[in-house]
């Protein structure tokens, strides 16, 4: 879809143009999602143009879905000029793997799956480019200032840079964009009746009886996942939100209520923050 | 942090989503010295704009720390967020996001720096003592406006606020009945921040060439300024080749128009030489094509800036070798005075002269941020060592040879020769002196023009001889056929014309001295036959060299 452009809020605030020969100034501008989109596409293209072997970290989650759409847009009508790398750190929900395989095939993206028991540990603070030395280490004191949209991509052979094109996106922006763009996401995000148990206050989805601990019984709970972190114990929440607008509404209303479940808060903060720390490339 | 103003009950979700798409995005920052109250202000703003979670407010209420002297320490709200996010790592800048019904905001929350902004510190500390007095506010406003004028800030809006008391931050203050202007949030929500640039100043730095197959070539990039539509004429730099926009292609289909700062991809009508680092611009508003310019540079590295040291410079999508030729002066950030400087230490700001080995396509930063900004990179350590804002896009006090000038343009320049003009016009230049036969001149002009000549009537009445010579030289050099009336010229007067390129005496005919009994028809016939001799024969058109496409 194309985003509507924004009319100035108050015409009286426009600078007065006294010289009649002066060409007309722009009477419209981009909305906030379109601005974020333009910025992210720019970053994706910079990464593809300036690095010799870029790869996009793909986690199957909603942020990754947004990243994929942005990458499709950035290089259209060409294919995405770098492979996607899914680091399979631990147990994943079957729906995720199914979604990963069918969706990447559908859009013709190259997918690399790397089995790795250890989660990636790196920090990127709030930068778009974070520099890592030849040991893959991130040194907070050795990060480059980021000015305007001018990124310094100069690195030596053994060094690397993590790029985070969604730096200025909030969780809500991600959902709004998924809605506006009609982006496919893993069905686990939508509320449905699912087999689950309540364990230590968290709702844990159950796919086979083997997963039940002694004394537990699976029950049908209408629930959905708020994030698809790589932790096996990522919990679901009770929810009726079975469409993206309903998810957005739920998110906004959560803000006002006391957040009843600490684990959920953590996840909500976590998914975006984690990405921010890990970067994408 | 998904902080957002709550949906009003009367408003449906669909309306909210529709309205949200129409919000625009404003980035802003706070400036001030350590302990000036930046955190308190941001905390207050987020709190009053309902952009923080209730449990965050609760945790601040529970906190034993309260440096504010009031019931609630708003700075903890900001610093609490900061600590949560940074986990003890010193950070240069943290971003906060919130939105209201009208706009989305990104706050760049910068730490105060001892070295900077002592002036503002003075202002702020005075304000602490101000109470709610209008006189104090007016005095501070006057001082600040005078300070800002030295910084070249043209638009300043002063709002009397108290972050501690929440006066005029989000809601209007009852303590300042004398102030009827907008609140801080009200101002942020409505201020117009578009750069007042005309639509036709197109700057499109080519970022990436999309080439999925041999038939498709798309030029991708972020439109730095201006607006584009299919059919628009553009000039490619540095080649100088002209082209037209064939289509603005996109994932969602072709677009009818693109505006800055959209990221777009263009198809062009003709195959031209264009790659990353080149720029497409509007022919009517060209940027400077320059290898030497002046700039305000902020130095960001512990190792000081020294002149002549090799550097890399990145501007738009262009990366070139560069060096600082001269530090004109350092700027004392507290007094704004210029100081002589041999080198520039970290956090220093200076006016410098920069020279690059390849031309850049530049605008002054004041005109165009995207094409007037650059970063400096150390080629040995790869560190980003400086940031610059272009002031004068071209320095002519830098001595250079003609060859280097031309190299700076990146294209080989050749003078436009008389032969080239003749080829384009299809005839040689000529001068016909027609005495006082003004009417005849007009009818001859029509006849010759219709016959393919580039012809013009020059009425010399009242024109003094030196000026007349100069006019004739110009028109002749331009390759035109000149029908000159009311000129009292003697043959020797035409001697001055010989300076004109390719002037040949037989390209001039004097019909003014023709026997007065000759009628206009006879003179016209002589004029037409003379003009015919100026016409190039078809075979002299054979050479296409220099012929415009």
């Amino acid at each position: 879809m194309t985003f509507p452009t924004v009319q100035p809020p108050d015409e009286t605030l426009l600078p007065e143009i006294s010289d009649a020969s002066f060409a007309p100034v722009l009477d419209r501008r981009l909305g906030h999602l379109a601005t974020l989109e333009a910025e992210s596409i720019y970053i994706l293209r910079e990464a593809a143009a300036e690095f010799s072997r870029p790869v996009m970290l793909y986690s199957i989650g909603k942020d990754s879905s947004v990243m994929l759409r942005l990458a499709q847009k950035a290089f259209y009508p060409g294919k995405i000029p770098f492979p996607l790398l899914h680091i399979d750190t631990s147990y994943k929900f079957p729906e995720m793997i199914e979604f990963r395989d069918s969706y990447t095939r559908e859009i013709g993206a190259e997918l690399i799956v790397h089995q790795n028991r250890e989660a990636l540990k790196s920090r990127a603070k709030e930068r778009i480019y974070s520099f890592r030395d030849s040991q893959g280490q991130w040194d907070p004191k050795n990060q480059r200032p980021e000015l305007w949209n001018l990124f310094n991509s100069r690195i030596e052979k053994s060094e690397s840079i993590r790029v985070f094109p969604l730096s200025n996106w909030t969780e809500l922006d991600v959902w709004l964009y998924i809605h506006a763009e009609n982006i496919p996401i893993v069905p686990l995000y939508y509320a449905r009746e699912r087999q689950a148990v309540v364990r230590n206050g968290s709702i844990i989805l159950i796919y086979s009886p083997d997963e039940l601990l002694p004394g537990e019984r699976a029950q049908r709970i209408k629930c959905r996942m708020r994030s698809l972190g790589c932790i096996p114990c990522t919990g679901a929440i009770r929810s009726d939100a079975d469409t993206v607008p309903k998810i957005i509404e739920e998110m906004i209303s959560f803000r006002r209520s006391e957040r009843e479940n600490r684990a959920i808060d953590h996840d909500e903060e976590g998914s975006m923050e984690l990405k921010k720390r890990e970067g994408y490339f | 942090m998904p902080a957002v103003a709550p949906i009003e009950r009367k408003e449906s979700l669909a309306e909210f989503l529709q309205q949200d798409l129409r919000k625009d995005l404003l980035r802003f920052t706070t400036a001030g010295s350590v302990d000036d109250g930046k955190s308190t202000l941001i905390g207050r703003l987020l709190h009053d704009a309902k952009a923080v979670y209730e449990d965050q407010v609760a945790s601040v209420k529970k906190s034993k720390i309260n440096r504010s002297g009031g019931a609630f320490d708003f700075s903890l709200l900001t610093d609490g967020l900061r600590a949560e996010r940074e986990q003890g790592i010193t950070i240069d800048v943290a971003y906060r996001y919130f939105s209201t019904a009208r706009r989305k905001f990104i706050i760049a929350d910068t730490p105060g720096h001892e070295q900077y902004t002592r002036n503002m510190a003075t202002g702020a500390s005075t304000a602490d003592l101000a109470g709610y007095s209008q006189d104090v506010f007016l005095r501070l406003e006057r001082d600040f406006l005078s300070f800002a004028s030295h910084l070249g800030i043209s638009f300043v809006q002063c709002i009397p606020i108290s972050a501690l008391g929440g006066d005029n931050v989000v809601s209007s203050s009852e303590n300042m009945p004398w102030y009827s202007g907008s609140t801080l949030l009200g101002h942020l929500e409505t201020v117009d921040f578009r750069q007042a640039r005309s639509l036709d100043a197109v700057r499109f730095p080519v970022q990436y060439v999309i080439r999925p197959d041999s038939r498709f070539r798309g030029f991708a990039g972020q439109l730095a300024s201006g607006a584009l539509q299919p059919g628009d004429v553009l000039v490619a730099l540095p080649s100088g080749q002209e082209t037209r926009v064939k289509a603005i292609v996109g994932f969602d289909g072709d677009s009818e128009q693109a505006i800055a700062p959209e990221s777009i991809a263009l198809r062009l009508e003709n195959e031209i030489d264009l790659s990353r680092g080149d720029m497409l611009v509007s022919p009517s508003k060209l940027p400077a094509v320059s290898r030497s310019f002046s700039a305000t540079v902020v130095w960001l590295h512990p190792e000081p800036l020294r002149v002549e040291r090799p550097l890399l410079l990145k501007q738009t999508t262009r990366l070139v070798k560069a060096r600082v030729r001269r530090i004109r002066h350092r700027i004392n950030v507290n007094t704004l005075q210029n100081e002589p400087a041999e080198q520039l230490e970290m956090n220093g700001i200076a006016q410098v002269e920069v020279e690059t080995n390849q031309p850049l396509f530049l605008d002054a930063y004041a005109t165009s941020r995207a094409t007037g900004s650059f970063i400096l990179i150390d080629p040995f350590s790869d560190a980003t060592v400086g940031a610059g804002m272009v002031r004068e896009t071209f320095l002519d006090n830098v001595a250079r040879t003609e060859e280097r000038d031309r190299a700076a343009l990146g294209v080989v320049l050749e003078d436009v020769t008389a032969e080239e003009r003749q080829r384009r016009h299809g005839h040689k230049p000529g001068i016909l002196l027609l005495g006082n036969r003004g009417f005849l001149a007009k009818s001859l002009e029509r006849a010759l023009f219709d016959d393919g000549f580039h012809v013009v009537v020059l009425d010399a009445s009242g024109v003094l001889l030196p000026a007349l010579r100069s006019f004739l030289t110009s028109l002749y050099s331009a390759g035109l056929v000149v029908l000159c009336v009311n000129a009292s010229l003697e043959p020797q007067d035409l001697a001055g014309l010989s300076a004109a390129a390719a002037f040949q005496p037989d390209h001039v005919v004097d019909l003014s001295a023709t026997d007065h009994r000759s009628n206009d028809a006879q003179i016209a016939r002589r004029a037409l036959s003379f003009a015919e001799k100026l016409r190039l024969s078809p075979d002299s058109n054979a050479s296409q060299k220099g012929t415009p496409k």
Side-chain angles (χ1 to χ4, degrees):
Chain A
M1 77 166 273
T2 36
F3 297 105
T5 48
V6 180
Q7 295 304 314
D10 184 354
E11 289 298 335
T12 59
L13 291 165
L14 288 176
E16 264 185 57
I17 298 161
S18 49
D19 181 2
S21 67
F22 196 82
V25 293
L26 292 173
D27 60 351
R28 54 183 210 125
R29 62 188 138 173
L30 301 185
H32 75 107
L33 282 182
T35 308
L36 290 174
E37 180 191 72
E39 178 185 279
S40 298
I41 288 175
Y42 170 83
I43 296 165
L44 280 162
R45 286 169 173 167
E46 278 299 282
E50 292 207 311
F51 294 107
S52 55
R53 284 167 57 217
V55 61
M56 182 177 131
L57 294 179
Y58 176 67
S59 77
I60 322 177
K62 60 185 189 306
D63 303 342
S64 284
S65 286
V66 166
M67 280 285 297
L68 266 188
R69 173 58 54 90
L70 292 168
Q72 282 180 288
K73 288 192 169 197
F75 305 104
Y76 179 87
K79 285 200 183 306
I80 299 173
F82 37 74
L84 314 183
L85 174 63
H86 179 217
I87 298 185
D88 212 347
T89 48
S90 58
Y91 175 82
K92 293 280 176 191
F93 302 102
E95 288 99 322
M96 289 174 70
I97 305 301
E98 216 170 89
F99 178 85
R100 177 192 74 189
D101 294 343
S102 70
Y103 189 51
T104 52
R105 199 179 318 120
E106 185 194 317
I107 65 170
E110 184 192 340
L111 176 73
I112 303 168
V113 178
H114 179 67
Q115 301 286 342
N116 187 352
R117 286 272 136 205
E118 274 173 71
L120 286 167
K121 284 232 162 62
S122 63
R123 297 263 343 238
K125 289 202 302 190
E126 307 208 1
R127 284 174 196 281
I128 292 170
Y129 275 35
S130 64
F131 172 78
R132 294 147 63 92
D133 64 18
S134 50
Q135 271 78 51
Q137 295 300 302
W138 178 83
D139 176 3
K141 292 195 180 67
N142 195 18
Q143 295 305 311
R144 296 164 177 176
E146 286 178 350
L147 298 129
W148 301 288
N149 59 355
L150 299 170
F151 302 109
N152 174 358
S153 61
R154 303 261 309 171
I155 45 173
E156 298 302 313
K157 268 216 167 90
S158 53
E159 298 164 342
S160 63
I161 282 181
R162 289 268 175 120
V163 177
F164 185 59
L166 299 185
S167 186
N168 283 322
W169 294 60
T170 65
E171 199 82 2
L172 182 61
D173 293 330
V174 167
W175 280 114
L176 290 168
Y177 191 73
I178 287 169
H179 174 62
E181 288 280 319
N182 204 14
I183 297 172
I185 49 169
V186 181
L188 284 165
Y189 285 113
Y190 298 115
R192 244 180 41 197
E193 289 224 336
R194 293 186 165 92
Q195 290 284 2
V197 293
V198 180
R199 186 183 293 163
N200 299 329
S202 292
I203 299 167
I204 307 296
L205 301 190
I206 298 297
Y207 289 90
S208 107
D210 308 348
E211 295 165 23
L212 292 169
L213 299 179
E216 280 183 344
R217 270 192 59 195
Q219 48 181 313
R220 293 195 73 76
I221 299 175
K222 189 153 191 194
C223 61
R224 65 180 200 89
M225 305 297 292
R226 287 190 74 181
S227 80
L228 305 175
C230 47
I231 322 119
C233 62
T234 305
I237 52 158
R238 287 175 201 273
S239 168
D240 287 320
D242 52 5
T243 63
V244 174
K246 284 185 190 168
I247 292 172
I248 292 170
E249 189 174 30
E250 187 187 87
M251 249 194 91
I252 295 165
S253 57
F254 266 144
R255 202 194 65 75
R256 280 183 293 175
S257 67
E258 277 298 320
R259 291 176 290 175
E260 73 265 48
N261 190 333
R262 280 276 134 195
I264 294 167
D265 295 346
H266 190 76
D267 278 345
E268 184 207 341
E269 234 356 61
S271 62
M272 181 57 87
E273 291 302 299
L274 199 70
K275 290 287 160 34
K276 221 166 244 191
R277 275 182 241 131
E278 291 185 353
Y280 267 98
F281 285 91
Chain B
M1 182 112 342
V4 65
I7 299 177
E8 297 292 326
R9 291 198 188 284
K10 59 179 188 236
E11 181 190 52
S12 77
L13 181 67
E15 281 166 353
F16 168 81
L17 293 172
Q18 265 310 307
Q19 192 195 357
D20 186 84
L21 284 181
R22 294 181 190 283
K23 283 181 196 171
D24 55 4
L25 180 62
L26 176 68
R27 293 162 209 258
F28 66 95
T29 186
T30 54
S33 196
V34 181
D35 286 338
D36 269 1
K38 295 185 301 299
S39 296
T40 304
L41 176 57
I42 292 172
R44 168 62 83 172
L45 186 63
L46 293 174
H47 176 268
D48 289 8
K50 300 190 169 46
V52 284
Y53 291 105
E54 284 159 30
D55 62 333
Q56 289 166 330
V57 176
S59 81
V60 169
K61 277 182 185 154
K62 274 183 270 169
S63 170
K64 291 191 178 72
I65 310 162
N66 187 335
R67 298 164 297 184
S68 72
F72 188 86
D73 187 345
F74 287 95
S75 72
L76 292 181
L77 218 44
T78 317
D79 293 339
L81 295 174
R82 192 182 286 163
E84 198 176 292
R85 294 164 81 101
E86 288 159 33
Q87 300 173 0
I89 292 168
T90 338
I91 195 165
D92 44 359
V93 60
Y95 295 97
R96 312 200 184 288
Y97 306 88
F98 77 104
S99 65
T100 66
R102 303 183 76 159
R103 259 187 188 158
K104 182 189 166 177
F105 297 96
I106 301 179
I107 314 177
D109 179 18
T110 53
H113 197 295
E114 291 287 347
Q115 197 174 333
Y116 287 164
T117 57
R118 273 182 216 138
N119 267 295
M120 295 203 195
T122 316
S125 57
T126 325
D128 284 343
L129 308 171
Y132 294 111
S133 153
Q134 182 176 17
D135 290 343
V136 177
F137 173 70
L138 291 175
R139 184 165 54 75
L140 287 171
E141 183 177 41
R142 201 178 51 236
D143 291 352
F144 193 83
L145 288 175
S146 120
F147 181 72
S149 68
H150 293 293
L151 296 172
I153 301 171
S154 54
F155 184 73
V156 178
Q157 177 80 42
C158 293
I159 303 173
I161 58 165
S162 162
L164 285 175
D167 301 85
N168 290 334
V169 177
V170 171
S171 32
S172 291
S173 170
E174 288 174 13
N175 295 318
M176 290 176 265
W178 47 266
Y179 178 75
S180 58
S182 58
T183 62
L184 177 61
L185 184 64
H187 180 69
L188 291 172
E189 278 188 313
T190 52
V191 66
D192 189 62
F193 55 86
R194 290 167 296 164
Q195 263 195 311
R197 275 214 93 183
S198 52
L199 280 168
D200 53 352
V202 172
R203 301 287 182 267
F204 182 68
V206 176
Q207 192 186 4
Y208 192 92
V209 181
I210 299 172
R211 207 177 302 195
D213 56 56
S214 58
R215 282 162 303 154
F216 186 94
R217 226 167 137 228
F219 299 96
Q222 190 171 15
L223 192 54
S225 76
L228 275 181
Q229 324 192 71
D232 283 358
V233 175
L234 295 174
V235 172
L237 294 174
S239 73
Q241 286 173 289
E242 214 172 80
T243 186
R244 246 174 224 280
V245 178
K246 187 174 180 184
I248 303 165
V249 294
F251 185 78
D252 305 302
D254 289 0
S255 304
E256 278 311 300
Q257 197 195 28
I259 57 172
E262 270 181 278
S263 280
I264 54 172
L266 298 180
R267 292 190 81 170
L268 302 176
E269 289 208 333
N270 48 338
E271 286 275 319
I272 57 166
D273 181 27
L274 200 58
S275 53
R276 177 175 165 88
D278 295 351
M279 195 185 283
L280 288 166
V281 300
S282 41
S284 59
K285 291 226 166 75
L286 295 170
V289 178
S290 168
R291 290 201 311 123
S292 62
F293 51 90
S294 71
T296 305
V297 159
V298 183
W299 194 248
L300 304 166
H301 204 261
E303 179 88 2
L305 163 69
R306 293 195 181 86
V307 291
E308 300 297 334
R309 177 175 124 166
L311 293 166
L312 292 170
L313 184 151
K314 191 176 182 189
Q315 178 249 2
T316 66
T317 54
R318 219 165 155 73
L319 185 73
V320 300
K321 289 180 183 166
R323 63 208 165 101
V324 170
R325 293 179 55 98
R326 189 163 87 88
I327 298 175
R328 285 181 178 174
H329 54 254
R330 177 174 39 224
I331 300 159
N332 182 316
V333 291
N334 296 308
T335 62
L336 299 182
Q337 298 297 307
N338 298 338
E339 298 168 348
E342 292 298 311
Q343 58 177 43
L344 191 62
E345 316 290 339
M346 183 149 89
N347 291 330
I349 301 174
Q351 298 261 349
V352 302
E353 292 174 4
V354 182
E355 188 166 317
T356 58
N357 75 326
Q358 294 279 314
L360 298 175
F361 320 124
L362 292 175
D363 293 289
Y365 184 79
T367 321
S368 167
R369 217 181 287 174
T371 47
S373 57
F374 59 88
I375 58 170
L376 296 168
I377 298 168
D378 182 303
F380 306 109
S381 70
D382 295 333
T384 304
V385 291
M389 289 156 279
V390 175
R391 292 172 66 90
E392 299 145 284
T393 53
F394 196 85
L395 294 182
D396 38 33
N397 61 345
V398 179
R400 279 178 300 166
T401 65
E402 205 178 7
E403 282 76 14
R404 285 174 66 193
D405 254 341
R406 288 176 178 185
L409 276 161
V411 287
V412 180
L413 284 184
E414 281 175 26
D415 289 338
V416 178
T417 63
E419 286 71 27
E420 284 176 280
R421 289 184 207 278
Q422 290 178 19
R423 269 199 300 277
R424 177 179 286 188
H425 292 156
H427 60 78
K428 297 170 192 161
I431 297 171
L432 290 85
L433 301 173
L434 295 171
N436 58 2
R437 292 180 165 83
F439 183 77
L440 175 66
K442 293 309 276 184
S443 58
L444 272 173
E445 184 186 36
R446 181 81 252 169
L448 288 169
F449 182 84
D450 290 348
D451 209 16
F453 284 92
H454 293 75
V455 59
V456 67
V457 172
L458 175 64
D459 187 342
S461 32
V463 180
L464 297 175
L465 190 59
L468 181 57
R469 273 207 202 108
S470 156
F471 289 157
L472 282 171
T473 305
S474 295
L475 296 171
Y476 185 91
S477 303
L480 304 181
V481 174
V482 186
L483 306 175
C484 188
V485 292
N486 298 324
S488 49
L489 283 174
E490 298 298 324
Q492 67 267 27
D493 294 333
L494 285 170
L497 285 181
S498 58
F503 175 74
Q504 290 169 17
D506 60 345
H507 289 177
V508 179
V509 63
D510 185 359
L511 302 174
S512 61
T514 312
D515 186 339
H516 67 277
R517 281 168 301 181
S518 307
N519 60 27
D520 282 2
Q522 288 170 321
I523 294 170
R525 266 198 300 279
R526 287 181 62 187
L528 290 172
S529 81
F530 170 78
E532 209 50 47
K533 277 183 245 161
L534 296 174
R535 218 192 273 276
L536 297 188
S537 55
D539 58 329
S540 61
N541 265 328
S543 161
Q544 286 299 304
K545 183 180 169 287
T547 310
K549 295 181 186 93

